Amino acid sequence: MLTLAIQKSGRLSEKTVKLLHECGIAFENGGSSKLKSKASNFPMQILYLRDDDIPECVADGIADIGIVGENIYREKNRPLKIIERLGFARCRLSIAVPKSMEYRNAGDLNGLNIATSYPNILKTFLDEKKINANVHEISGSVEIAPGIGLADAIFDIVSTGSTLLSNGLREVETVIRSEAVLVVGEKLAAEKQELLNKLLFRIRAVQTAGNRKYILLNAPNDRIKDICKLLPGMKSPTIMPLSTEGWSSVHSVIEEDEFWEKIEALKAAGAQGILVIPIEKMIL
Ligand code: ATP
Ligand code: MG
């Protein structure tokens, strides 16, 4: 049995649970009261923890694997490795200073008091840049520290930057970028490794499908060549004749990112009746 530690409730939990469900793993959601639950169709149990406790729990072997923000993984600096980046809970850890402060480069941080909940990551950054600043560790509401005179600058999570703005702060250095990651301890028994490989296979199939769409369209046969050039597909597009003489249906896979651009080009090339359908799983 594989034990997975996930965040009990917070910005990681909903997407983590969604990913596991998309991997076909059925379990009762932790909700507010549960500490753990067992999957009914996969040999896995899930532990619900505060995100800060996940790295330690995996390093100590209480859980075999964990899903946590890369920021926490880096800050806790436990003997773990990232086995898969999961692409959600994207944010960055940045230094911000009051808007009124003059700031040219990291050297201007010398001698300042910087408030943060990420002292280790900050110290590493300051050491690398040979900056002598005072790291002031606080556990929450870091963004209000300069406003109440507790610090001159802050080092904290930024996603859109609106919290900084409303506290009169300006982002000046991006130190790391973070996303949810799947972490594993240093050694795993062979039987658990096998289960982990199964889980990884499923996660990758979901991730690969996630940014691709299945596309179907109709086109006159004399346009098919041009249309196929726009649709590389997994190998090449599938072409099937329509019952209307001289017309075919073309099926392929496209990337989400290039979706709108492709649709325009396909229409211009003579495609009609275009359907775009989500793909649930995809194995390359
Ligand atoms: P816990 O109670 O588990 O300790 P928390 O309050 O420390 O939770 P959350 O705010 O739920 O943490 O954030 C969890 C993780 O989600 C963060 O460590 C970070 O990786 C990511 N994250 C935080 N804020 C954002 C955001 N605004 N946008 C996207 N991801 C974020
Ligand atoms: Mg936390």
Side-chain angles (χ1 to χ4, degrees), residues 119-131:
N120 293 326
I121 299 174
L122 178 58
K123 280 178 194 153
T124 306
F125 171 79
L126 295 173
D127 286 349
E128 271 169 16
K129 299 258 174 193
K130 302 199 168 30
I131 291 161

Side-chain angles (χ1 to χ4, degrees), residues 99 160-171:
K99 264 189 239 145
T160 60
S162 59
T163 309
L164 292 183
L165 217 67
S166 61
N167 283 285
L169 299 168
R170 176 163 67 98
E171 186 177 358

Side-chain angles (χ1 to χ4, degrees), residues 7 50-52 72:
Q7 190 189 26
R50 287 203 53 189
D51 66 347
D52 316 65
I72 297 289

Side-chain angles (χ1 to χ4, degrees), residues 7-12 49-52 68-72 88-91 118 157-160 178-180:
Q7 190 189 26
K8 187 178 175 69
S9 79
R11 287 189 161 103
L12 290 163
L49 301 172
R50 287 203 53 189
D51 66 347
D52 316 65
V68 71
E70 197 177 346
N71 50 326
I72 297 289
F88 58 87
R90 285 186 193 276
C91 56
Y118 298 89
I157 288 185
V158 182
S159 62
T160 60
S178 173
E179 65 188 281

Side-chain angles (χ1 to χ4, degrees), residues 9-267:
S9 79
R11 287 189 161 103
L12 290 163
S13 41
E14 195 181 311
K15 292 225 168 108
T16 301
V17 167
K18 181 166 170 264
L19 173 65
L20 294 171
H21 285 157
E22 284 170 346
C23 287
I25 295 169
F27 59 97
E28 259 182 64
N29 201 348
S32 54
S33 55
K34 272 207 161 172
L35 299 176
K36 60 181 172 183
S37 56
K38 230 174 121 193
S40 57
N41 58 356
F42 193 84
M44 183 159 92
Q45 73 170 344
I46 295 155
L47 305 184
Y48 303 95
L49 301 172
R50 287 203 53 189
D51 66 347
D52 316 65
D53 298 331
I54 293 173
E56 179 136 16
C57 216
V58 178
D60 290 350
I62 294 163
D64 305 305
I65 52 175
I67 293 179
V68 71
E70 197 177 346
N71 50 326
I72 297 289
Y73 159 78
R74 290 245 217 141
E75 176 62 26
K76 300 292 175 187
N77 202 15
R78 306 297 310 219
L80 303 173
K81 56 179 194 260
I82 294 179
I83 37 169
E84 190 72 9
R85 306 186 153 271
L86 301 173
F88 58 87
R90 285 186 193 276
C91 56
R92 53 193 190 271
L93 287 185
S94 294
I95 296 176
V97 301
K99 264 189 239 145
S100 55
M101 179 182 149
E102 199 187 319
Y103 186 94
R104 288 151 302 183
N105 55 48
D108 290 335
L109 298 169
N110 268 308
L112 298 190
N113 261 321
I114 309 176
T116 188
S117 318
Y118 298 89
N120 293 326
I121 299 174
L122 178 58
K123 280 178 194 153
T124 306
F125 171 79
L126 295 173
D127 286 349
E128 271 169 16
K129 299 258 174 193
K130 302 199 168 30
I131 291 161
N132 198 358
N134 185 24
V135 175
H136 188 88
E137 184 178 351
I138 53 178
S139 59
S141 302
V142 173
E143 66 285 351
I144 65 165
I148 59 170
L150 198 64
D152 306 305
I154 66 161
F155 174 60
D156 202 12
I157 288 185
V158 182
S159 62
T160 60
S162 59
T163 309
L164 292 183
L165 217 67
S166 61
N167 283 285
L169 299 168
R170 176 163 67 98
E171 186 177 358
V172 290
E173 299 283 343
T174 301
V175 176
I176 66 161
R177 292 189 183 275
S178 173
E179 65 188 281
V181 291
L182 181 65
V183 294
V184 63
E186 276 183 327
K187 43 182 185 292
L188 211 55
E191 162 242 349
K192 293 189 178 208
Q193 183 64 49
E194 210 169 290
L195 291 174
L196 175 56
N197 291 347
K198 271 192 189 164
L199 177 66
L200 271 175
F201 179 81
R202 294 186 187 191
I203 289 177
R204 285 172 188 154
V206 171
Q207 305 261 85
T208 312
N211 49 22
R212 289 182 165 100
K213 301 273 183 237
Y214 193 80
I215 182 167
L216 302 92
L217 57 87
N218 296 330
N221 289 344
D222 60 354
R223 299 291 181 86
I224 298 273
K225 227 179 174 177
D226 288 345
I227 286 174
C228 285
K229 276 191 206 141
L230 295 165
L231 293 174
M234 287 173 75
K235 270 208 169 63
S236 63
T238 307
I239 299 166
M240 286 182 275
L242 293 186
S243 56
T244 310
E245 189 76 24
W247 282 72
S248 295
S249 167
V250 180
H251 298 203
S252 190
V253 172
I254 57 170
E255 299 273 335
E256 174 108 73
D257 302 346
E258 54 188 20
F259 172 76
W260 288 112
E261 210 180 298
K262 282 268 158 98
I263 298 297
E264 290 300 316
L266 288 168
K267 274 175 67 186

